Amino acid sequence: MSKVAIVYFSGYGHTVKVAESVAAGAAGVAGTEVSLHRIDAEGQLSDADWQSLQAADAIIYGSPTYMGGPAWQFKKFADASSKPWFSQAWKDKLAAGFTNSASTNGDKYATINYFWTLSQQHGQVWVGTGLMPSNAKAHSPADVNWTAGFGGVMTISRSDASVEESPSTGDLKTSALLGERVAKAAIRWA
Amino acid sequence: MSKVAIVYFSGYGHTVKVAESVAAGAAGVAGTEVSLHRIDAEGQLSDADWQSLQAADAIIYGSPTYMGGPAWQFKKFADASSKPWFSQAWKDKLAAGFTNSASTNGDKYATINYFWTLSQQHGQVWVGTGLMPSNAKAHSPADVNWTAGFGGVMTISRSDASVEESPSTGDLKTSALLGERVAKAAIRWA
Amino acid sequence: MSKVAIVYFSGYGHTVKVAESVAAGAAGVAGTEVSLHRIDAEGQLSDADWQSLQAADAIIYGSPTYMGGPAWQFKKFADASSKPWFSQAWKDKLAAGFTNSASTNGDKYATINYFWTLSQQHGQVWVGTGLMPSNAKAHSPADVNWTAGFGGVMTISRSDASVEESPSTGDLKTSALLGERVAKAAIRWA
Amino acid sequence: MSKVAIVYFSGYGHTVKVAESVAAGAAGVAGTEVSLHRIDAEGQLSDADWQSLQAADAIIYGSPTYMGGPAWQFKKFADASSKPWFSQAWKDKLAAGFTNSASTNGDKYATINYFWTLSQQHGQVWVGTGLMPSNAKAHSPADVNWTAGFGGVMTISRSDASVEESPSTGDLKTSALLGERVAKAAIRWA
């Protein structure tokens, strides 16, 4: 079995939905075992979570974009990953990422960019969305990759939108496609 | 008179509209003289253009986002600016930027980020949009800063949208507000 | 009096030295009042610290680069700054930044870049080092801006170097020059 | 045979040396065919070059860092790659990168970051150096990854250093290790 681990923080629940869509997409690939690891409000993971990350073939990073970057709880996790970094224990695992924020554009790229930077310190191999953008006039948030994330998935949850109503179905489909892509890449890379 | 120079490249004309909106916003500030400098298809500016940049109190950079960054013609201009760089001739001038692309989000941040990086090599002082995002459910492209640019203005011209119909009126208003903000900052900074 | 506030995190003490050098440089500018605000090990500032930031004309951000970005404690502070962000209470204050890490180069740019991104969300005006690099063969870490930071100051403290012996005198001089530049800019901008 | 193509620009010859070291490292991996493609002074590649890129399993990008980013000639190549982009013809090819500049640090990260951004538009899979930094007091430019590039190789050629004397032997060893890593990854990924 190929193992895909998703490690993420979610403040209000929107990013949980994105993470679950990524997981569903990965789980749909035969021969793939998916695990979800939610960083808690204090930026902590359990020992079992850390062991799952160590056992994974691919690690997918996720966080809302807060104040132009990943939430501090995600960064606390990233700083704690200096332990596997010292022994390059995550070297050659695949990596990917997703972020959610209220704004159409804003600084989502900066968060995805940080995930990539982190992955490169770990010697990981980065897999992006591999998707073309939906950027014609007829396109809407219901379409795949309407936000046009290349390095990673960018989803939108408006500032006054409930977890029930956001992100859009298009964003969630895009998230599932990222999961599927990473799972297939993990099998190919094995 | 305070002098604001806008130096930009435009491939198909959408960025011309953004540049002109920025110019109109700056020109509306009393005591401001605005000049527009379009980099040509070969990445060239005239000697008179270079002299205007040298005389300016603020230089605003603009380019479409092509393949994840500013157009090569803009970069050719930036590389040619190594001449004023050697003598730090643009030191302490204000700087700002704008970019346009077909996608909702994509890599616009990367282009604005490059403009900032360039400005810092020149020892310039960076002024962003200073605008809050329009990111509630009721907002639309007709609103100011719907794309949520902070470091600079991000506008959208859909892949099949004519120059007549794009960017949106909201994007053009946002562009005018950047021009106004930079012009006021130039007077304050003088 | 013009007020320059330095808000920073330091894990082992090297960044304290950088912050103090920046402060000394700023304090040398007549008419400038400098305050230092160290984010604690839990990512907290006191109410008095937050009030000083609110009263400041310029805020200088500092953090070591850990795992490719600012320390999580700094990010926790940045996320908490969403409170002044909502009312754009820091709008038009000057901003600048510095970072320290063990490596010659590494991801220091990413940390400075984050500080800029944060400042742009706040509507601040960014001031870089305004320094040319010391990049000829005869140059050494004893020279000003040997690391070649433009957007902000980049200092080096080798992985086995004590706080007594690092960063280099050149790095500390560079830090003082940033403080001086920001203090002068704050007076000009007032 | 696994095919590794290196596409790069060099202004004065230092980057040629880096490219050739990357090539030598890749060529040392059994079953690997390496090709070098130098972008000319006008930003052009021959048709045969474009065909080699199309046939490659991995494309490694290289350019000096000029004015905070890749040389305009490299960007012209990148913009011309919108042709294979439209059909996603480079999708799933591996990607990697290297940059050279006179400064110790400066904006090299920004150039590597751009290469990654470009690769993600193309749907490529990114491979970094996978190297720990040489950042203890005893280390020198003769050591592998003294500059501490993670996302890509960062080399130094001082502003007054001839092509004969720079980059350092450590930088060139690092470059060879990148070539070797990418070649091995291409075989694994096949």
Side-chain angles (χ1 to χ4, degrees):
Chain A
M1 292 294 277
S2 172
K3 287 174 180 151
V4 174
I6 300 163
V7 58
Y8 70 102
F9 174 75
S10 178
Y12 301 95
H14 303 89
T15 305
V16 172
K17 284 180 73 178
V18 181
E20 290 176 348
S21 293
V22 173
V29 175
T32 303
E33 190 180 305
V34 183
S35 61
L36 281 158
H37 309 279
R38 184 173 179 176
I39 299 163
D40 74 15
E42 292 307 310
Q44 310 280 355
L45 283 181
S46 70
D47 286 352
D49 287 323
W50 284 102
Q51 286 159 21
S52 288
L53 296 182
Q54 183 51 51
D57 298 294
I59 302 176
I60 305 179
Y61 301 110
S63 173
T65 295
Y66 288 165
M67 299 309 296
W72 70 264
Q73 290 93 342
F74 183 91
K75 190 56 175 52
K76 189 173 177 183
F77 151 74
D79 287 4
S81 80
S82 62
K83 202 176 165 189
W85 175 80
F86 273 115
S87 58
Q88 289 285 286
W90 294 358
K91 190 173 174 181
D92 292 337
K93 294 181 190 300
L94 299 186
F98 57 88
T99 192
N100 176 74
S101 74
S103 292
T104 305
N105 191 319
D107 296 329
K108 288 188 229 279
Y109 174 99
T111 299
I112 298 294
N113 201 36
Y114 174 69
F115 293 153
W116 170 71
T117 300
L118 173 65
S119 78
Q120 297 307 291
Q121 292 236 355
H122 280 296
Q124 294 183 264
V125 172
W126 186 267
V127 179
T129 64
L131 295 169
M132 291 293 274
S134 290
N135 61 14
K137 285 188 284 181
H139 288 131
S140 80
D143 289 295
V144 163
N145 211 22
W146 179 72
T147 53
F150 303 106
V153 170
M154 300 167 164
T155 64
I156 300 172
S157 298
R158 295 303 181 188
S159 57
D160 52 353
S162 69
V163 172
E164 284 67 38
E165 63 190 335
S166 66
S168 70
T169 50
D171 280 354
L172 296 178
K173 270 186 269 178
T174 308
S175 304
L177 288 171
L178 180 74
E180 184 185 330
R181 177 166 163 79
V182 172
K184 287 181 175 170
I187 289 168
R188 177 171 174 176
W189 182 244
Chain B
M1 291 297 276
S2 172
K3 287 174 181 153
V4 175
I6 300 164
V7 59
Y8 71 102
F9 175 74
S10 178
Y12 301 95
H14 303 89
T15 305
V16 172
K17 284 180 73 177
V18 181
E20 290 175 348
S21 293
V22 173
V29 175
T32 303
E33 188 181 306
V34 184
S35 60
L36 281 157
H37 309 278
R38 186 173 179 174
I39 299 163
D40 74 17
E42 292 307 310
Q44 309 281 357
L45 283 181
S46 70
D47 285 353
D49 287 322
W50 284 102
Q51 286 159 19
S52 287
L53 296 181
Q54 184 52 51
D57 299 294
I59 301 176
I60 305 180
Y61 302 110
S63 173
T65 295
Y66 289 165
M67 299 308 296
W72 71 263
Q73 290 92 342
F74 183 90
K75 189 57 174 51
K76 189 172 177 183
F77 151 73
D79 288 4
S81 80
S82 62
K83 202 176 164 190
W85 176 80
F86 273 116
S87 59
Q88 290 284 287
W90 294 358
K91 190 172 173 181
D92 292 337
K93 294 181 191 298
L94 299 186
F98 57 88
T99 192
N100 176 73
S101 74
S103 292
T104 305
N105 190 319
D107 296 328
K108 288 187 228 278
Y109 174 98
T111 300
I112 298 294
N113 201 36
Y114 174 68
F115 293 152
W116 170 71
T117 300
L118 173 65
S119 78
Q120 298 306 291
Q121 292 235 357
H122 281 295
Q124 293 182 265
V125 171
W126 186 269
V127 178
T129 64
L131 293 170
M132 291 294 274
S134 290
N135 60 14
K137 286 188 284 182
H139 288 130
S140 80
D143 288 296
V144 163
N145 211 21
W146 179 73
T147 53
F150 303 107
V153 170
M154 301 167 162
T155 64
I156 300 173
S157 298
R158 295 302 181 190
S159 57
D160 53 353
S162 68
V163 172
E164 284 66 38
E165 64 190 336
S166 66
S168 70
T169 50
D171 280 355
L172 296 178
K173 269 186 270 177
T174 309
S175 305
L177 288 171
L178 179 74
E180 182 184 332
R181 177 166 164 81
V182 172
K184 287 181 176 170
I187 289 168
R188 178 171 173 176
W189 182 244
Chain C
M1 291 295 277
S2 172
K3 287 174 180 153
V4 175
I6 300 164
V7 59
Y8 71 102
F9 175 75
S10 177
Y12 301 95
H14 303 89
T15 306
V16 172
K17 285 179 71 178
V18 181
E20 289 175 348
S21 293
V22 173
V29 176
T32 303
E33 189 180 305
V34 184
S35 61
L36 280 157
H37 309 278
R38 186 174 179 173
I39 299 163
D40 74 17
E42 293 306 310
Q44 309 281 356
L45 282 182
S46 69
D47 285 352
D49 287 322
W50 285 102
Q51 286 159 20
S52 288
L53 296 182
Q54 184 52 50
D57 299 293
I59 301 177
I60 305 179
Y61 302 111
S63 173
T65 295
Y66 288 164
M67 299 308 296
W72 70 263
Q73 290 92 343
F74 183 90
K75 190 57 174 54
K76 189 172 176 183
F77 151 74
D79 287 4
S81 79
S82 62
K83 202 175 164 188
W85 176 80
F86 273 115
S87 58
Q88 290 284 286
W90 294 359
K91 191 173 174 181
D92 292 336
K93 294 181 190 299
L94 299 187
F98 57 88
T99 192
N100 176 74
S101 74
S103 292
T104 305
N105 191 319
D107 296 329
K108 286 187 230 279
Y109 174 98
T111 300
I112 298 294
N113 201 37
Y114 174 69
F115 293 152
W116 170 71
T117 301
L118 173 65
S119 77
Q120 297 307 290
Q121 292 236 356
H122 280 295
Q124 294 182 265
V125 172
W126 187 268
V127 179
T129 64
L131 294 170
M132 291 293 274
S134 290
N135 61 13
K137 287 188 285 182
H139 288 130
S140 80
D143 288 295
V144 163
N145 210 21
W146 179 73
T147 52
F150 302 106
V153 170
M154 301 167 163
T155 64
I156 299 173
S157 299
R158 295 303 180 190
S159 57
D160 53 353
S162 68
V163 171
E164 283 68 36
E165 63 190 336
S166 65
S168 71
T169 50
D171 280 355
L172 296 178
K173 269 186 270 178
T174 308
S175 305
L177 288 171
L178 179 74
E180 184 185 331
R181 177 166 163 82
V182 172
K184 287 181 176 170
I187 289 169
R188 178 171 173 177
W189 182 244
Chain D
M1 293 295 277
S2 172
K3 287 174 180 152
V4 175
I6 301 163
V7 59
Y8 71 102
F9 174 74
S10 178
Y12 301 94
H14 303 90
T15 305
V16 173
K17 285 180 74 177
V18 181
E20 289 176 348
S21 293
V22 172
V29 175
T32 303
E33 189 180 305
V34 183
S35 61
L36 281 158
H37 308 279
R38 185 173 178 174
I39 299 162
D40 74 16
E42 292 307 309
Q44 309 281 357
L45 283 181
S46 70
D47 286 352
D49 287 322
W50 284 103
Q51 286 159 20
S52 288
L53 296 182
Q54 184 52 50
D57 298 294
I59 302 176
I60 306 179
Y61 302 110
S63 173
T65 295
Y66 288 163
M67 299 309 295
W72 71 263
Q73 289 92 343
F74 183 90
K75 189 58 175 52
K76 190 172 177 183
F77 151 74
D79 287 5
S81 81
S82 62
K83 202 176 163 189
W85 176 81
F86 274 116
S87 58
Q88 289 284 288
W90 294 358
K91 191 173 174 182
D92 292 336
K93 294 181 190 298
L94 299 187
F98 57 87
T99 192
N100 176 74
S101 74
S103 292
T104 305
N105 192 320
D107 296 329
K108 289 188 227 279
Y109 174 98
T111 299
I112 298 295
N113 201 36
Y114 174 69
F115 293 153
W116 169 71
T117 300
L118 173 65
S119 78
Q120 298 306 291
Q121 292 235 356
H122 281 295
Q124 295 183 264
V125 172
W126 186 268
V127 178
T129 65
L131 294 169
M132 291 293 274
S134 290
N135 61 14
K137 286 188 284 181
H139 288 131
S140 80
D143 288 295
V144 163
N145 211 21
W146 179 72
T147 52
F150 302 106
V153 170
M154 299 166 164
T155 64
I156 300 172
S157 298
R158 294 305 180 187
S159 57
D160 53 353
S162 69
V163 172
E164 284 68 37
E165 64 190 337
S166 66
S168 71
T169 51
D171 280 355
L172 296 178
K173 271 187 267 177
T174 308
S175 304
L177 288 171
L178 179 74
E180 184 185 330
R181 178 167 164 79
V182 172
K184 287 182 175 170
I187 289 169
R188 178 172 174 175
W189 182 244

